[in-house]
Each structure stands twice: as C-alpha cells, then as structure tokens.
Amino acid sequence: MTRPVTIALDAMGGDHGPSVAIPGAALMLERRPDARFVIFGDEKEVLPLVEQHPKLKAVTTFHHTEVSVKMDDKPSQALRYGRYKSSMWRAIDATKTGEADVTVSAGNTGALMAMSKFCLKSMAQVDRPAIACLWPTARGESIVLDVGATIGADARHLVDLAVMGAAMARVVFDLDRPTVGLLNVGVEEIKGVEAVKEAGRILREGNLPHLTYHGFVEGDDLGKGTVDVVVTEGFTGNIALKTAEGTARQVTDYLRAAISRSLMAKIGYLFARGAFSALREKLDPRKSNGGVFLGLEGIVIKSHGGTDAIGFASAAELAYEMAREDLMAKLREMVAASTQPAPVAAQPADAE
Amino acid sequence: MTRPVTIALDAMGGDHGPSVAIPGAALMLERRPDARFVIFGDEKEVLPLVEQHPKLKAVTTFHHTEVSVKMDDKPSQALRYGRYKSSMWRAIDATKTGEADVTVSAGNTGALMAMSKFCLKSMAQVDRPAIACLWPTARGESIVLDVGATIGADARHLVDLAVMGAAMARVVFDLDRPTVGLLNVGVEEIKGVEAVKEAGRILREGNLPHLTYHGFVEGDDLGKGTVDVVVTEGFTGNIALKTAEGTARQVTDYLRAAISRSLMAKIGYLFARGAFSALREKLDPRKSNGGVFLGLEGIVIKSHGGTDAIGFASAAELAYEMAREDLMAKLREMVAASTQPAPVAAQPADAE
C-alpha cells in the first residue's frame, strides 16, 4: 500500500474521551507523519482540542456526531440508540465505506464489538470474530487470541483463531511462518478438552501455508514467548490476560513496598534508579495497548478505556501498522487457504 | 482433634524422591513437633536418609514398597502396575484405613489423582474431585480451585467447588464465613458462560451456611485477594495458575536483567539487598507449595514435583493443618448443608 493510511477515530470513547484521543492521535502522528485521520465526535469538545495540534488538524477530516456511546451501556442499548449516528458507529462505518482503512475506539468493548459485527459483518468462512492482543514476553512480544470476544470454542473456531493470529503475526512481526501454539493444561497429547485436541489434529495434519504449528502450550509459556501466536477461547484468554496484568502489578507493588521499608533500600533505589525506570518501561501496559478485532470485513482496534494519550497513541500506531501492511488482504488469503479441502486421507463421517 | 496428626508420605514421588521428601519431613517436624509419619518407599533409598534424622525416625513407621510410580506415567499405566503395591497407592490407602490422617506425595498429578479417586472414592453428593491451591495475594493468601483436576464444569459442580473451597478456607484462614467469588470475564451480571451465571444464581439464592457469596471476580482479582475463595473450572484455573507463575518469574527476570546492566544499579542492589531478599521471600513459590485434593473420602496433598526440602515441608505442613483442624468433618458438614433442599420458592422442572 503506497497511499497514506487513514485512521477513523471515535474521539468520544473511553473514560476520558477526546481529551485523551486527540492528544494521542497527535502523538502518534509525530511517529507516523504520513498518517491521515477521519475523526468523529462532538464538535464542541473535539474541535478545540484539534486546534491545539495544527499538524493533526492539517491531516484530519472531522465529522460532528450528536450521540456518544457510554462506557457502561450494554451492547443492545448502545446499538439501539447509537446505530448509524454515534461517533463509534460512524468511525466503524468509515472503514466499511473505504473513507478510512482502519478504526480506533477506546469505547466500551461490548458495544464496539456489537457495532463492528453489525456494521462490518463477518468475513466469509469465519463464524465468529476474536480479539487479539500483543503480550509482552521474555523474547519480545507474542499475539494472544481470543481474549474475550466470544465464550467457548469448537475445534473449527480454534483453527480460525490460529489462522487469523498467524496472519496478524506476519504483519506485526514481519514473519513468513509464525509459530502457533494451542493453550492447554498440559503438553501431553492426552490432556485437555476435546475441542483443543481436535484443533491440534487439524493444525498438525492440515499443513497450512504461512503457519508452523508448534503444539500445545501452557500458561507459563505465555510469558516465555514460546510461540509467536497463542490460541485459546475467549473465556480462558480473558482470564489469563487479566491474571497476568494483575500478577505483574502485584509483583511491582511488592517491590515498591520492600524498597520503601528501609533507608538503606531507599539509598539503593537512588543508585539503581536507571534500572527501575527500565523495568517500569518494560512493564508499561500502555506500550502494548490495543485489542485487534479479527474476523470481520474490516479492522477495528480497541484501545483500553482508561489509558492516557501515550497509550492511545500505541493503539493508533498498531492500527496504522495493520493497515499499512494490509492485514485484511493477508487474513483473506490465509482464511481461504485454510478452508480448502485438506489434502489428507478421507476421515470417517463421525470424526468431523 | 487432640491426638497427634499422622501424615502418610509417599517418599518415592517427585523429581528427587526421598532425597527431598525425607529432609522435607524432618524440616516440617521441627515446626510441628507433635506430627507422626507413616512413610512408604524403597528401604534401600529411604532408610539411610531417615537414619540421618533421629527425631523423624523416632516418630516414623516405615513400610517398604517395591514399586514406584514414575513422573511421566499415564494415570492408566500407573494404576495398572502400581495399584495396591506402589508407595503412592499405599500412602493413600493409609489415610483410607485410618493409619494416617492425611497423605502427601510429590508424585505425578494424574496418577496421584487417579489412585486417590480409586482408593478413597468420592464424597457422597460430590460428583467430581478438585485441586485447590493457596494463591499469594496483596492481602495474604486466597484459595483457588479447581486448578486442574477436571476439565469443564456445570453449575452444580461449581457450587460444589464453592462449598469445598469455603470449608478449606475455614480451616486454613480460621474464618467462620469466608467470601467466595466465581471467576468470570466481567463483573456485569450479563457476561460469562451459562454454567457460571447459573452457579451465581444458586449461590446468591441458596444462602449457604459458612459462606458469603461475593459475586463474579475477574482475573486481576486473584492477585488483589478480593475474596477468600476463587472458584473456576479446572481448565481455566490451571491456565490462570501457570500464567501467574510465569508472569511473576518474567517480572523478576526483567528486574534482575535491569540491575545487572549497570554498575550503578549493582551498587544500588547492594544497598537494597534486604529489600530484594524480602521480595524474593514474598515470591518464593515453595511457601505456597501444595495442591489439596478435595471431594474424596480423605485428604491428599500434592507437592510440586520439582520442589526441594523447604517446599516439601510446606506441603507437609499444609497437610498437617488440614488434618489438625479436621477438614474432612467440615467438608462433610458443609456439603450436606448445601445439598439440603434449598428453602426457596419452587422452581419449574425445566430450570433444574
């Protein structure tokens, strides 16, 4: 893609609305000066902020919207009053019509997913969408999906997740054949749920292009970065994600408490300040902010609702990368390849 | 219980067998001098080690066994060759016959659970056993179950887990009404899987004795210690546990790397050494070693297979506490109370 990337922004989403989204977009533009924006929101709130960032203003098309989806609305409520006219809907629709290449919102996840499904529709051959996130690991980053779009998964859906996660890994990590693991409770073939075992069989025997199936991985493989893509259904994925976030916070809280308890430790902290700020940066959740909705006819990025401008800029930059490398084209190619009749021996009918 | 607590030990389990189990038992005996032991294992390996600990020897009854269950055996294999005669089986059987009050083994989890089920049988009214663990939190410790005994759970099984976890919390934390939360992907009533929602309804309306139902909790509530008992099915629980262990290791690895990168940081480390060793102790997985098998007619504690004598001593001490406070009696009482016909309005037949 050589034309500039255009990002549709729902400026009203998140706990802080445009006061985070607009400075966040401006910050991201400094790093990606060829980006363009289409921004949707309440002109009274958004335009004064855009005025403060002349470079952003110069590359922005603004659309006034009267309706904003609230953070605590149920998806059905949000759809009822926000369809066609809220900043969230219009930002999604801009990606559908082609006015933008990708959509970013910090709005409530349930509403954003419901509207994205309704507006963009599912990709052909993908039953259900997923949310993928970047997971910081000892080796760098991995992609983990699904972290909460849908609850429960049969083998076919897990294979879809593997294929979509691998397509995203090709874009984000610039790999030709990312490694993919299925999250399970043990590495022995015998363990785990039937759907996971069946998905493992399909991935092993399917020999899919652009993907190397690693096998089962366990919870502690997430942080190790054992594979590029970790696949699990949305309930477990969401709990794993929040458990890891909580544990990281818990350990750093312990560390802070231990250091503030003695004068010697505080002196030590002064000497080691550089190391502590490196640790803080390494663990900064704003750096890996951005859940990617996959499986729809368009890419939507969900920014964390409580993040600040730095975090929002990360989500916008992730959106930029997805569009720049044409994630949708890679998704279509890989999903199509994975649903060809597999060149393996015929299976008995009851083994489907 | 005023008579001494007798612990049955499978001395051959774990990666290091008696070389960890025997010093571990001796270490635990220093802290709980009224404990007694029944030890099962190969006399050639075990007895020389027992000889090195005269105090342990004085309170130990030893039984020679020819067969040891291997760490990589499948449960079915272990049952086939180890039933009735392995050190693992005999240690479990000692709790069944009353020769011991509780069993400890560092042997392979699948085999230990299979033998425990076969030997001890399920408690009346409990369909499936669970493994509970102590989870270090910002407030102290919580109990989390199931961390891997069975995959999948219907509402009734989740309620059983809540009741059994609360019984354990009464013993371990000395609480009359521990708080119980159901692990879910959101705190809103609308979210999550059907079984979790239904279990929430039963727990809310059932008004069970000795248990305060808190509601849904999320992955990050585990580390916060929001509730005394966190209930989830074994697949998700196992992945959450291993994810947390992995994340804690990842953060401390980052910290170590950051500190070793500069001389200033190394000097700081020397000053703050006390704080770092406090952190290390706080995060020491050996302190919370021990998975408790619940739902069987007897208590079995699974020690981590790779732990050392300090970790094994923690598991043995946990076993001691469970027996000392008569966990089995509390389990029977609470399970019976929870399966009384609930004093609520009659439900339509299809809502069972």
Side-chain angles (χ1 to χ4, degrees), chain A residues 58-127:
Chain A
V59 297
T60 290
T61 306
F62 177 75
H63 298 284
H64 171 68
T65 52
E66 297 278 339
V67 177
S68 305
V69 171
K70 289 179 210 68
M71 289 306 275
D72 53 358
D73 278 335
K74 290 183 185 161
S76 55
Q77 284 178 293
L79 268 176
R80 206 173 316 124
Y81 72 78
R83 200 186 308 170
Y84 309 126
K85 52 183 187 250
S86 63
S87 58
M88 184 184 277
W89 176 280
R90 301 254 336 253
I92 299 165
D93 194 51
T95 287
K96 185 183 183 186
T97 61
E99 186 181 2
D101 302 300
V102 59
T103 299
V104 180
S105 172
N108 110 46
T109 311
L112 186 63
M113 180 54 88
M115 285 197 182
S116 298
K117 284 200 270 195
F118 201 96
C119 179
L120 296 169
K121 312 293 184 212
S122 289
M123 288 176 67
Q125 299 158 318
V126 175
D127 286 340

Side-chain angles (χ1 to χ4, degrees), chain A residues 33-201:
Chain A
D34 62 332
R36 302 286 173 270
F37 290 91
V38 192
I39 299 182
F40 297 87
D42 186 320
E43 60 190 10
K44 290 187 299 297
E45 291 183 57
V46 177
L47 286 183
L49 289 160
V50 173
E51 286 296 332
Q52 292 171 24
H53 300 280
K55 281 185 196 157
L56 178 65
K57 189 184 169 190
V59 297
T60 290
T61 306
F62 177 75
H63 298 284
H64 171 68
T65 52
E66 297 278 339
V67 177
S68 305
V69 171
K70 289 179 210 68
M71 289 306 275
D72 53 358
D73 278 335
K74 290 183 185 161
S76 55
Q77 284 178 293
L79 268 176
R80 206 173 316 124
Y81 72 78
R83 200 186 308 170
Y84 309 126
K85 52 183 187 250
S86 63
S87 58
M88 184 184 277
W89 176 280
R90 301 254 336 253
I92 299 165
D93 194 51
T95 287
K96 185 183 183 186
T97 61
E99 186 181 2
D101 302 300
V102 59
T103 299
V104 180
S105 172
N108 110 46
T109 311
L112 186 63
M113 180 54 88
M115 285 197 182
S116 298
K117 284 200 270 195
F118 201 96
C119 179
L120 296 169
K121 312 293 184 212
S122 289
M123 288 176 67
Q125 299 158 318
V126 175
D127 286 340
R128 305 195 298 173
I131 305 177
C133 74
L134 292 176
W135 190 292
T137 74
R139 292 175 51 227
E141 279 178 325
S142 298
I143 289 164
V144 179
L145 75 169
D146 174 20
V147 294
T150 58
I151 303 296
D154 59 14
R156 184 66 241 172
H157 182 52
L158 291 171
V159 172
D160 284 347
L161 293 175
V163 167
M164 294 194 295
M168 181 171 155
R170 289 175 67 197
V171 167
V172 184
F173 306 140
D174 194 23
L175 295 167
D176 185 49
R177 285 184 74 90
T179 55
V180 176
L182 287 169
L183 195 58
N184 201 347
V185 295
V187 288
E188 298 158 47
E189 292 292 316
I190 193 170
K191 288 186 179 171
V193 278
E194 210 40 62
V196 177
K197 288 195 271 181
E198 175 63 16
R201 272 190 291 273

Side-chain angles (χ1 to χ4, degrees), chain B residues 268-284:
Chain B
Y269 173 80
L270 293 179
F271 277 98
R273 203 154 38 176
F276 285 111
S277 67
L279 177 71
R280 203 160 23 237
E281 197 183 326
K282 188 98 185 166
L283 294 175
D284 188 346

Side-chain angles (χ1 to χ4, degrees), chain A residues 171-309:
Chain A
V171 167
V172 184
F173 306 140
D174 194 23
L175 295 167
D176 185 49
R177 285 184 74 90
T179 55
V180 176
L182 287 169
L183 195 58
N184 201 347
V185 295
V187 288
E188 298 158 47
E189 292 292 316
I190 193 170
K191 288 186 179 171
V193 278
E194 210 40 62
V196 177
K197 288 195 271 181
E198 175 63 16
R201 272 190 291 273
I202 296 171
L203 287 169
R204 202 169 43 242
E205 290 165 11
N207 198 20
L208 301 173
H210 300 300
L211 175 167
T212 300
Y213 176 59
H214 168 92
F216 297 147
V217 294
E218 297 194 68
D220 53 349
D221 288 303
L222 286 160
K224 286 181 198 161
T226 306
V227 288
D228 300 312
V229 180
V230 177
V231 168
T232 188
E233 60 80 36
F235 187 85
T236 303
N238 184 276
I239 283 168
L241 177 63
K242 288 187 177 156
T243 300
E245 288 172 349
T247 304
R249 206 156 40 229
Q250 190 183 352
V251 174
T252 50
D253 287 350
Y254 285 163
L255 179 62
R256 193 173 301 117
I259 280 171
S260 63
R261 217 172 287 137
S262 85
L263 182 61
M264 286 285 273
K266 284 181 197 161
I267 293 169
Y269 173 81
L270 293 179
F271 278 98
R273 204 153 38 176
F276 285 110
S277 67
L279 177 71
R280 204 159 23 236
E281 197 183 326
K282 188 99 185 165
L283 294 174
D284 189 345
R286 296 176 301 186
K287 276 176 41 187
S288 47
N289 180 35
V292 182
F293 292 5
L294 297 173
L296 303 171
E297 280 293 346
I299 304 295
V300 175
I301 310 284
K302 157 76 174 118
S303 166
H304 196 287
T307 196
D308 62 10

Side-chain angles (χ1 to χ4, degrees), chain B residues 175-192:
Chain B
L175 295 167
D176 185 49
R177 286 182 74 89
T179 54
V180 176
L182 287 170
L183 196 58
N184 201 345
V185 293
V187 289
E188 298 157 46
E189 292 292 316
I190 195 171
K191 290 185 179 172

Side-chain angles (χ1 to χ4, degrees), chain B residues 16 19-21 24 284 286 289 303-314:
Chain B
H16 313 294
S19 71
V20 155
D284 188 346
R286 297 176 302 185
N289 180 34
S303 166
H304 197 287
T307 196
D308 61 11
I310 293 171
F312 195 88
S314 299

